[in-house]
Amino acid sequence: MKVTLQSLTPPRKPNVLAHASVKIEFDTHSITISDLRLLRNRSGELWVGMPAIAVSNGGREYRYEPCVEFSRELRRAVEDTVLAAYAESEAKLAVRS
């Protein structure tokens, strides 16, 4: 299995640092996962939000259901790929400043 970053784009929402898309290649098949979100929690840690849909609990309350579920190993590989790409892009911006 190989995980490759396809895109890392500026955010479309205020609390998101970046959006990403990755391609996951297996022996003879591949899948592209879009709408990954790079976020920062209140402790300052970066994390990758996986694609999800909002489902109403009634009224104005929502819960988020995953669109795709990953094994622990695959999720970690996707997170590592996206976080490394973001760190690299941030380092390039810091050098330019």
Side-chain angles (χ1 to χ4, degrees), residues 45-92:
E45 298 169 334
L46 293 175
W47 63 283
V48 178
M50 300 298 169
I53 57 171
V55 178
S56 175
N57 285 340
R60 295 183 180 206
E61 295 179 22
Y62 292 90
R63 71 179 189 283
Y64 292 90
E65 296 288 332
C67 293
V68 177
E69 294 189 36
F70 298 89
S71 67
R72 182 181 299 177
E73 296 81 12
L74 180 54
R75 182 182 179 101
R76 190 71 217 164
V78 169
E79 291 171 337
D80 289 348
T81 299
V82 173
L83 292 171
Y86 184 74
E88 184 178 319
S89 71
E90 288 292 292
K92 286 180 183 177

Side-chain angles (χ1 to χ4, degrees), residues 3-9 18-24 31-37 51 78 81-82 85:
V3 179
T4 308
L5 184 77
Q6 295 294 294
S7 66
L8 186 66
T9 59
H19 288 276
S21 175
V22 296
K23 183 176 185 178
I24 304 167
I31 185 170
T32 299
I33 306 293
S34 301
D35 198 30
L36 299 166
R37 297 165 323 281
V78 169
T81 299
V82 173

